Amino acid sequence: MTGKIRRFSDGGALAEAAACHIAEAAWASVRARGRFLWVLSGGQTPVPVYERLASWHPFPWAETHAFWGDERCVPLTDPASNAGTAQRTLLDRVPIPQGQIHLPPGQVSPPEAAATAWEADLHQFFGSGSAPAFDLVLLGLGADGHTASLFPDDPAAEETTRWTAAVSGEKASPPVPRITLTIPALRGARAVLFLATEWEKVELATRIVGEDIETRPSPAARVHRTTGATWYLAEGA
Ligand code: 6PG
């Protein structure tokens, strides 16, 4: 599947456009299906987008359901928590019903049990179909080609049936255990939006979208090929 790239002069312009993209997707989903099933990204890149959406009007928060692409196995209060970061910068500041915030159970130990519990929660919401029908999946990109917590050469990136997996996170930053959606879980998304705001990642994204033959496609490249993602890129911070 092909994808498309939009390039921006700096991170601020990218964040403004990404917030608009998400709001438009939200209204379109609500018009079509009565709700907006949104997978939020971890990492720091989306934070300026979340902060803009916190005061974005109008936005169908009453019809929005929040999910995550991955979570670090730390307390929600830990700055490393993806869900905690999204709550502090966005969800605590908008009228989204608490019952529509579907937190990954990152606090469950061990991570394998957390992944199993998370998959059960997702199957309870989506049923046992082939993949969750997310309306929009927001993803970041690592310079090594990872996305969510799907890292190159990690078994989680090779999962072919389960919707979630546990990841040791030894090579990640921060190097903590994680739980992540898998490629089968992302395959059913109606739309995927990648954000990258560092030149090294912009270079990698350009190669991925350009279908530059990689010796072994990175997890981000495989998600792109599976979903035909859109990429918002800015080399300046
Ligand atoms: C995570 C993220 C991860 C992130 C990229 C980019 O939990 O680490 O899901 O995939 O999106 O590593 O991170 P930054 O946006 O902080 O550069």
Side-chain angles (χ1 to χ4, degrees):
M1 294 179 80
T2 57
K4 48 190 169 299
I5 289 178
R6 282 189 67 186
R7 297 183 189 278
F8 299 90
S9 54
D10 57 50
L14 181 147
E16 191 71 21
C20 183
H21 184 113
I22 293 164
E24 287 176 357
W27 283 114
S29 299
V30 169
R31 280 194 299 272
R33 291 173 293 279
R35 62 187 188 176
F36 175 48
L37 308 183
W38 176 26
V39 174
L40 283 78
S41 171
Q44 291 306 307
T45 301
V47 169
V49 182
Y50 298 157
E51 290 171 335
R52 280 166 172 77
L53 287 173
S55 56
W56 195 276
H57 299 292
F59 194 100
W61 292 114
E63 295 84 11
T64 295
H65 289 254
F67 302 85
W68 277 265
D70 67 323
E71 177 59 304
R72 289 80 175 271
C73 295
V74 296
L76 278 174
T77 52
D78 188 313
S81 167
N82 289 333
T85 298
Q87 285 184 311
R88 288 185 288 276
T89 58
L90 173 57
L91 300 179
D92 290 349
R93 301 162 61 185
V94 295
I96 181 173
Q98 287 305 301
Q100 294 174 197
I101 300 174
H102 305 274
L103 294 171
Q107 298 70 42
V108 169
S109 182
E112 291 73 14
T116 300
W118 191 15
E119 184 170 44
D121 291 345
L122 292 171
H123 275 297
Q124 185 174 14
F125 187 89
F126 287 102
S128 55
S130 59
F134 296 121
D135 291 306
L136 177 65
V137 176
L138 186 64
L139 290 172
L141 177 67
D144 62 355
H146 82 259
T147 190
S149 282
L150 299 171
F151 293 91
D153 305 321
D154 187 285
E158 307 305 323
E159 176 58 47
T160 57
T161 52
R162 293 192 57 188
W163 290 358
T164 63
V167 178
S168 67
E170 288 161 358
K171 301 176 207 164
S173 172
V176 297
R178 291 117 178 281
I179 51 178
T180 185
L181 293 184
T182 60
I183 289 177
L186 297 172
R187 184 168 289 129
R190 289 186 171 87
V192 173
L193 175 61
F194 277 95
L195 307 179
T197 57
E198 293 165 29
W199 74 267
E200 195 178 4
K201 298 179 183 180
V202 169
E203 288 283 306
L204 173 58
T206 304
R207 287 201 308 275
I208 287 173
V209 178
E211 297 286 309
D212 183 6
I213 304 301
E214 294 175 84
T215 49
R216 186 152 179 267
S218 61
R222 291 165 55 204
V223 171
H224 172 73
R225 294 177 188 177
T226 304
T227 61
T230 297
W231 296 73
Y232 279 17
L233 306 177
E235 298 215 5

